[in-house]
């Protein structure tokens, strides 16, 4: 049964764990976008100009003549909204702006002069200056009052105040001249009364140079840019996290598998070329063939305080806790190939062996027998021959320092590997092995696309699933498990392998000790940490120390 993306792959969106997981996975986004937005804000602040706006207020009045029943002529005030709007229009008219322009000599002011390099006529230059001046003048009625707000903007605060006052003065002069013309047009006996009539204005507040510029403070712009970057970054990170349904967290894999996730294993860095060299010689004590082993298979022993070792130790402890079911035969598999199950199997088997348990590691992957290639490349017989009745001690390879025994799976004489050898017909053989060993770890093929793991269910007592971090989606994993028969019911637990370094930042892990367990002394040198594939959090020494040596011996 499929599970919804956001339920199957992570903690609830409101949980703090979900938040910190998202921050950890998308740290680059959460740093890059705030930095980008902050840089854009800084560029804007450095390039924007500064302007200042000065303001003045005018009080408007309109007096008319009113005749009473006694034929007396009395002046009275009459102001309407259309009248005030007409006064605003007069303040913004060409005539008022031209008078202010001439009074201040703005035709020679660089702020108002056209930037064109082509010579202009005086008339055209004056028209352009007038047009620019009018764009900087604003007038409006203040609410429902009889006051008009007059403003002018300039790059210079003093100039802004001068322009505002010049506009107001031009308007007052125009109104005075208009009223005088009306008074002169009537008969002498009415001239004294008419002189005080008409629209009049008075300056309520004169414009002064503004102390603050019109633009927002630089600090506010920078803070706004930073905040916008954080919001954008978090939105993008959570969007990616919401629609990306690949398994990245322990909680996500537990929801899909319905089994405990024992931990995350860091992605090992590539070992240098010389660590891959296999050198065969003879043990002076047993005259058995010995080989150099791949350092990745020694990692948990070589670095007992690393995140890698801690996760496998937790796995070992969880397996030992199953006292009632006592899963002796444990299959180790993964959803697909290349997810690191063989390396996990070898390290886990070695950790179990050093606790005085009798442990057998079996390579049962016929498609990619990686453990055989790494641990016993010279093996001529293995699992297929053991099932055919060959004497088991003659086939097993033994690690002298840990006591771990290994059953390889070499190719046949024609170069091909045997097919699936783990099925119900061989159940008796493995039951007999289970009586001789405390634990048998079987490196199985992947779940997809072959059915080998399903066929092996009568043999194995439990399954350990190794999933590569950030590779398999929740839906894919659910479908693979649903199509694998009883595999889900036999799951002991899950390990997330090859996790990114960023998943371990902030999680302290003590530096590796210069000694290993007392069970792994002698030729095995656990203090040699320069393997060229150091997991996150480990302090690896400089230089190129020799590759750790361990002996795998084939039985006689």
């Amino acid at each position: 049964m499929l599970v919804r993306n956001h339920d199957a792959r992570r903690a609830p969106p409101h949980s703090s764990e979900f938040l910190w997981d998202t921050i950890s996975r998308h740290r680059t986004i959460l740093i890059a976008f705030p930095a980008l937005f902050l840089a854009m804000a800084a560029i804007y602040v450095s390039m924007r100009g500064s302007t200042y706006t000065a303001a003045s207020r005018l009080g408007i009045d309109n007096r008319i003549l009113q005749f009473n029943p006694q034929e007396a002529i009395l002046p009275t005030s009459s102001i309407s909204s259309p009248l005030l709007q007409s006064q605003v229009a007069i303040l913004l008219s060409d005539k008022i702006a031209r008078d202010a322009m001439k009074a201040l000599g703005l035709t020679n002011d660089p702020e108002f002069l056209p930037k064109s390099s082509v010579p202009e006529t005086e008339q055209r230059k004056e028209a352009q200056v007038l047009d620019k001046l009018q764009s900087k003048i604003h007038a409006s009625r203040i609410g429902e009052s009889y006051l008009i707000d007059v403003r002018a903007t300039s790059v210079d605060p003093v100039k802004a105040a001068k322009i505002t006052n010049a506009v107001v003065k031009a308007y007052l002069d125009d109104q005075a001249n208009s009223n005088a013309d009306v008074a002169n047009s009537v008969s002498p006996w009415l001239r004294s009364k008419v002189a005080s009539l008409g629209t009049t204005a008075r300056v309520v507040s004169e414009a002064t140079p503004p102390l603050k510029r019109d633009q927002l403070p630089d600090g506010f712009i920078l803070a706004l840019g930073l905040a916008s970057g954080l919001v954008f970054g978090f939105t993008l990170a959570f969007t990616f996290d919401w629609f990306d349904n690949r398994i990245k967290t322990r909680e996500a894999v537990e929801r899909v598998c319905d089994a405990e996730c024992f931990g995350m294993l860091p992605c090992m860095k590539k070992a240098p070329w010389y660590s891959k060299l296999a050198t065969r010689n003879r043990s002076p004590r047993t005259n058995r063939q010995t080989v150099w082993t791949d350092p990745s298979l020694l990692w948990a022993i070589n670095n007992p305080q690393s995140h890698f070792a801690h996760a496998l130790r937790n796995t070992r402890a969880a397996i030992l806790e199953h006292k009632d079911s006592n899963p002796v035969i444990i299959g180790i598999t993964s959803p697909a190939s290349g997810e690191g199950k063989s390396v996990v199997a070898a390290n886990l088997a070695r950790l179990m062996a050093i606790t005085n348990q009798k442990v057998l590691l079996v390579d049962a992957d016929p498609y990619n027998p990686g453990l055989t290639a790494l641990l016993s490349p010279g093996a001529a017989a293995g699992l297929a021959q053991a099932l055919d009745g060959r004497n088991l001690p003659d086939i097993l390879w033994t690690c002298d320092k840990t006591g771990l025994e290994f059953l390889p799976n070499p190719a046949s004489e024609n170069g091909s590997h045997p097919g699936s050898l783990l099925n119900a017909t061989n159940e008796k053989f493995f039951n007999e092995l289970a009586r001789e060993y405390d634990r048998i770890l079987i490196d199985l093929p992947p779940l997809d696309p072959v059915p080998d793991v399903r066929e092996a269910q009568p043999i194995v007592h439990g399954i350990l699933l190794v999933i590569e971090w950030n590779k398999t989606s929740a839906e894919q994993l659910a479908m693979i498990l649903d199509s694998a028969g009883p595999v889900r019911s036999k799951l002991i637990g899950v390990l997330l392998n090859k996790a990114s370094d960023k998943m371990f930042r902030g999680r302290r892990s003590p530096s590796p000790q210069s000694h290993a367990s007392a069970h792994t002394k002698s030729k095995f040198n656990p203090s040699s940490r320069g393997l060229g594939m150091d997991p996150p959090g480990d302090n690896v020494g400089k230089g190129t120390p020799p590759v750790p040596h361990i002996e795998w011996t084939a039985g006689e």
Side-chain angles (χ1 to χ4, degrees):
M1 180 178 65
L2 293 181
V3 190
R4 289 185 63 189
N5 294 356
H6 58 278
D7 293 329
R9 60 189 173 86
R10 56 180 178 272
H14 59 270
S15 70
S16 59
E17 190 164 358
F18 171 80
L19 175 63
W20 289 116
D21 284 342
T22 300
I23 293 175
S24 177
R25 287 191 295 272
H26 302 290
R27 185 173 302 183
T28 302
I29 291 177
L30 298 178
I31 293 176
F33 279 99
L36 176 62
F37 277 60
L38 183 62
M40 293 171 61
I43 293 173
Y44 169 75
V45 166
S46 64
M47 296 182 64
R48 68 170 179 170
S50 298
T51 59
Y52 299 85
T53 299
S56 177
R57 291 187 175 183
L58 293 175
I60 305 299
D61 191 13
N62 185 46
R63 301 185 68 80
I64 61 175
L65 292 178
Q66 183 177 14
F67 295 89
N68 64 7
Q70 288 77 25
E71 296 184 354
I73 303 175
L74 301 174
T76 185
S77 178
S78 176
I79 302 177
S80 62
S81 180
L83 173 67
L84 290 171
Q85 293 299 327
S86 65
Q87 300 309 307
V88 170
I90 293 173
L91 278 164
L92 299 176
S93 64
D94 291 352
K95 181 180 183 305
I96 301 301
R98 183 175 287 107
D99 291 345
M101 177 185 68
K102 293 180 178 179
L104 297 176
L106 299 180
T107 52
N108 297 318
D109 192 318
E111 181 182 349
F112 296 90
L113 289 175
K115 296 181 179 180
S116 175
S117 58
V118 180
E120 301 283 356
T121 63
E122 286 297 324
Q123 185 177 2
R124 181 172 177 80
K125 183 176 72 172
E126 183 177 320
Q128 292 178 338
V129 172
L130 180 64
D131 183 67
K132 192 167 186 179
L133 175 62
Q134 286 183 298
S135 68
K136 295 176 177 290
I137 299 174
H138 307 276
S140 61
R141 181 183 180 184
I142 302 177
E144 296 299 322
S145 68
Y146 299 155
L147 299 177
I148 295 179
D149 183 67
V150 183
R151 295 174 179 267
T153 302
S154 174
V155 296
D156 181 9
V158 176
K159 188 190 300 183
K162 288 182 178 180
I163 294 174
T164 304
N165 291 330
V167 169
V168 170
K169 184 176 184 304
Y171 169 76
L172 295 176
D173 291 344
D174 179 74
Q175 292 301 309
N177 293 335
S178 177
N179 291 339
D181 291 341
V182 172
N184 291 332
S185 64
V186 299
S187 58
W189 70 275
L190 283 177
R191 191 168 297 165
S192 60
K193 294 184 178 294
V194 173
S196 62
L197 299 179
T199 303
T200 59
R202 61 186 180 87
V203 177
V204 177
S205 62
E206 191 177 44
T208 58
L211 300 178
K212 296 182 179 180
R213 60 184 179 183
D214 300 335
Q215 288 75 20
L216 294 173
D218 294 348
F220 180 82
I221 296 294
L222 295 175
L224 183 62
L226 180 61
S228 301
L230 287 172
V231 171
F232 187 86
F234 270 101
T235 301
L236 194 62
F238 279 102
T239 301
F240 284 159
D241 220 35
W242 186 258
F243 290 102
D244 181 7
N245 60 357
R246 290 174 295 182
I247 298 293
K248 303 183 188 70
T249 64
R250 299 173 63 171
E251 294 75 17
V253 73
E254 287 176 354
R255 286 184 176 86
V256 179
C257 300
D258 195 24
E260 180 184 356
C261 180
F262 298 135
M264 288 190 292
L265 305 174
C267 183
M268 293 183 178
K269 298 178 182 178
K270 284 188 177 182
W273 63 270
Y274 53 79
S275 67
K276 299 286 185 179
L277 297 178
T279 305
R280 304 178 187 178
N281 52 29
R282 295 279 175 175
S283 169
R285 295 175 296 158
T286 62
N287 198 31
R288 295 175 180 176
Q289 180 176 259
T290 62
V291 298
W292 289 80
T293 190
D294 191 288
S296 63
L297 307 184
L298 299 169
W299 191 255
I301 299 296
N302 193 43
N303 299 278
Q305 300 299 326
S306 64
H307 293 292
F308 188 92
H310 288 328
L312 290 185
R313 286 172 55 200
N314 189 43
T315 305
R316 180 184 64 186
I319 293 174
L320 295 176
E321 288 171 0
H322 289 76
K323 295 181 179 179
D324 297 333
S325 58
N326 190 26
V328 176
I329 304 177
I330 300 172
I332 300 177
T333 184
S334 58
S337 60
E339 302 196 35
K341 61 180 177 59
S342 298
V343 172
V344 172
N347 279 276
L348 180 59
R350 193 182 304 279
L351 280 179
M352 288 184 167
I354 64 174
T355 59
N356 290 326
Q357 292 192 72
K358 189 176 182 182
V359 180
L360 174 64
L361 176 63
V362 180
D363 187 351
D365 188 347
Y367 312 101
N368 183 24
L371 285 180
T372 299
L374 293 172
L375 299 179
S376 57
L383 178 60
Q385 289 71 27
L387 293 173
D388 288 339
R390 180 96 173 257
N391 186 28
L392 190 62
D394 295 340
I395 303 173
L396 293 178
W397 288 61
T398 304
C399 175
D400 293 338
K401 302 303 176 277
T402 63
L404 176 66
E405 295 181 345
F406 174 60
L407 180 57
N409 187 16
S412 61
E413 294 180 357
N414 60 8
S416 63
H417 289 274
S420 176
L421 300 175
L422 302 183
N423 49 56
T425 59
N426 297 320
E427 185 176 358
K428 181 180 178 181
F429 171 80
F430 283 96
N431 287 339
E432 292 177 355
L433 286 180
R435 287 192 287 269
E436 298 181 18
Y437 291 91
D438 297 314
R439 300 286 175 217
I440 300 175
L441 301 186
I442 304 178
D443 183 19
L444 296 171
L447 292 170
D448 187 48
V450 293
D452 298 55
V453 178
R454 188 168 187 171
E455 292 178 347
Q457 294 311 299
I459 295 175
V460 299
H461 302 154
I463 295 289
L464 177 64
L465 187 62
V466 178
I467 302 174
E468 183 172 343
W469 179 86
N470 198 29
K471 178 183 179 182
T472 307
S473 70
E475 287 84 356
Q476 290 173 330
L477 180 58
M479 287 189 291
I480 290 173
L481 289 175
D482 290 341
S483 63
V487 170
R488 188 191 291 270
S489 63
K490 287 194 173 184
L491 277 181
I492 297 176
V494 187
L495 282 169
L496 276 177
N497 195 26
K498 301 182 183 180
S500 172
D501 293 4
K502 60 186 177 182
M503 300 303 296
F504 299 92
R505 291 170 185 163
R507 302 184 184 184
R508 296 188 59 187
S509 180
S511 58
Q513 303 295 325
S514 59
H515 59 85
S517 171
H519 301 282
T520 58
K521 294 182 180 179
S522 188
K523 291 185 180 179
F524 174 59
N525 180 13
S527 63
S528 300
R529 295 174 291 171
L531 303 181
M533 48 180 193
D534 317 312
D538 294 332
N539 299 322
V540 181
K542 298 180 180 179
T544 310
V547 179
H549 178 267
I550 192 161
E551 294 177 349
W552 288 88
T553 59
E556 297 178 347

